[in-house]
Amino acid sequence: MLDLQRLRALHAVSVHGTVGAAAAALGFTPSAVSQQITKLERETRTVLLEREGRGVRLTDEAWHLVGVAAELLALVERAETRLEERRGVPSGRLTIAAFASAARGLLPSVLADLAVRHPALDARLTEVDPHLSVDLVAKGAVDLVVAHDWDIAPLPAPAGVEQAPIGEDLCDLLVPEGHRFAGRTAVRRDELGGQRWICQPPGRVCHDWLMRTLRGAGHEPDIVHQADENPTLVALVAAGLGVALIPRLGRGPLPAGVVEVPLDPMPVRRLYALWRTGAARRPAIAETVRTLRAHWPDVAAHTNRQGALATQGLPRCGGGVRARRRGID
């Protein structure tokens, strides 16, 4: 008889791409995951993983087992959801994936609140880029995702995934002190040509938004510096090396030498929670989504108070993910 935990380990490798990444997602060591798969190979008398460079490749037989594993794990999830629903209280393990600034600016207070009010719930956070996290929740690798999109760069969600909005995060243009925009109350998007830009690498939502926005205004972006973390981008602006478009969530107070200037219209990224349709009735999912939405007004108010300039009266641009919303209000 096939062991479910060994199938889970193989499924995790198929989703995350490496044994190490699968181990991190499951909360095990890479050695433990490798041992589980070795035992599964012995039980099935089949080679499941083959070395490929420094990584591994799943064999055709392994992909067949992955399909079966996905079906079994979905059945287990439905059974666990029904049991938790009958108990009527959030319980069990809940894996959450969130993008960096949400993991820093929103999730700590949410997780602390859940831990106090629901001690039977074991919520665990992983920081993941939105482009990857939506796929992870669809494949069952995580239970809940906090993701975002932009007005001109909506992030589509696959079938079988539902969503609920959390809130809107404002975004400002950051320039070095002494820059010609530094004394302005607002800057129009058609004025952004000729700037040296600091932004995240290609493939990130913020990078894609910046490229589309500038090209839509008739400007070819000059990207001079790229970094993953917003604090690094802010530090580069403070050094006078360029300008950046940075959301407020998780940004923190601006250092000396950096001036915040609103864009007109002001860019807005929308935050939302996503989960699998089959888990919508799970109390842990419903309570976590409610807690995220309940904490957002205070988080947004705090981030907006940190802004150096008032933004009242400026129009906003908003967007939305292409996914079904149902089950949680």
Side-chain angles (χ1 to χ4, degrees):
M1 181 177 294
L2 297 177
D3 184 275
L4 182 61
Q5 292 305 316
R6 292 164 193 167
L7 289 173
R8 190 188 299 274
L10 181 64
H11 180 264
V13 173
S14 74
V15 171
H16 296 280
T18 67
V19 171
L26 294 173
F28 300 139
T29 64
S31 175
V33 171
S34 295
Q35 290 176 15
Q36 290 290 326
I37 294 176
T38 297
K39 292 177 180 178
L40 185 59
E41 287 181 323
R42 189 180 306 124
E43 290 173 350
T44 59
R45 297 186 294 277
T46 305
V47 176
L48 301 175
L49 297 182
E50 294 179 342
R51 289 287 180 186
E52 188 174 65
R54 295 184 177 181
V56 294
R57 180 182 67 84
L58 274 70
T59 64
D60 291 342
E61 291 79 7
W63 283 112
H64 170 73
L65 280 180
V66 165
V68 174
E71 295 177 9
L72 291 174
L73 292 174
L75 287 172
V76 171
E77 181 180 62
R78 286 203 292 272
E80 292 173 341
T81 297
R82 289 173 183 172
L83 286 173
E84 187 178 327
E85 188 178 11
R86 287 178 63 86
R87 296 188 191 104
V89 295
S91 60
R93 179 176 293 188
L94 181 76
T95 53
I96 304 171
F99 61 97
S101 53
R104 181 171 57 251
L106 174 61
L107 267 300
S109 63
V110 170
L111 293 173
D113 188 5
L114 290 171
V116 170
R117 293 188 295 110
H118 304 290
L121 177 62
D122 181 14
R124 303 192 177 195
L125 173 65
T126 301
E127 185 180 303
V128 181
D129 188 74
H131 278 104
L132 302 175
S133 62
V134 175
D135 188 49
L136 292 180
V137 76
K139 292 180 177 179
V142 297
D143 299 313
L144 184 71
V145 160
V146 177
H148 69 82
D149 66 6
W150 294 76
D151 53 329
I152 62 173
L155 186 66
V161 173
E162 301 174 15
Q163 59 92 16
I166 297 172
E168 292 183 341
D169 185 23
L170 304 182
C171 188
D172 301 295
L173 178 67
L174 302 186
V175 302
E177 193 174 38
H179 190 278
R180 63 187 178 91
F181 290 154
R184 298 275 296 273
T185 57
V187 174
R188 300 188 311 274
R189 297 186 186 190
D190 59 12
E191 300 180 83
L192 295 177
Q195 301 298 316
R196 291 169 62 84
W197 286 94
I198 302 167
C199 72
Q200 292 182 333
R204 299 300 181 89
V205 179
C206 295
H207 181 280
D208 295 346
W209 185 93
L210 180 64
M211 299 295 286
R212 295 185 190 186
T213 296
L214 294 180
R215 287 172 177 168
H219 307 301
E220 184 59 30
D222 181 16
I223 309 296
V224 294
H225 301 293
Q226 300 177 40
D228 286 316
E229 295 293 333
N230 284 343
T232 305
L233 303 179
V234 173
L236 291 169
V237 174
L241 299 174
V243 303
L245 196 67
I246 307 291
R248 293 182 179 179
L249 176 63
R251 189 178 71 192
L254 295 177
V258 178
V259 178
E260 176 187 90
V261 184
L263 284 181
D264 182 10
M266 175 164 284
V268 174
R269 62 176 183 177
R270 190 179 75 155
L271 278 67
Y272 45 88
L274 300 101
W275 62 91
R276 289 180 299 282
T277 301
R281 298 173 63 180
R282 184 181 174 189
I285 296 286
E287 180 61 18
T288 301
V289 172
R290 280 194 289 268
T291 305
L292 285 164
R293 300 175 76 179
H295 277 246
W296 177 253
D298 288 341
V299 170
H302 175 70
T303 59
N304 291 337
R305 281 196 301 271
Q306 290 179 337
L309 297 174
T311 58
Q312 293 182 353
L314 287 177
R316 300 179 182 179
C317 292
V321 68
R322 301 295 185 261
R324 293 183 296 159
R325 179 188 176 192
R326 48 177 277 197
I328 298 175
D329 295 320

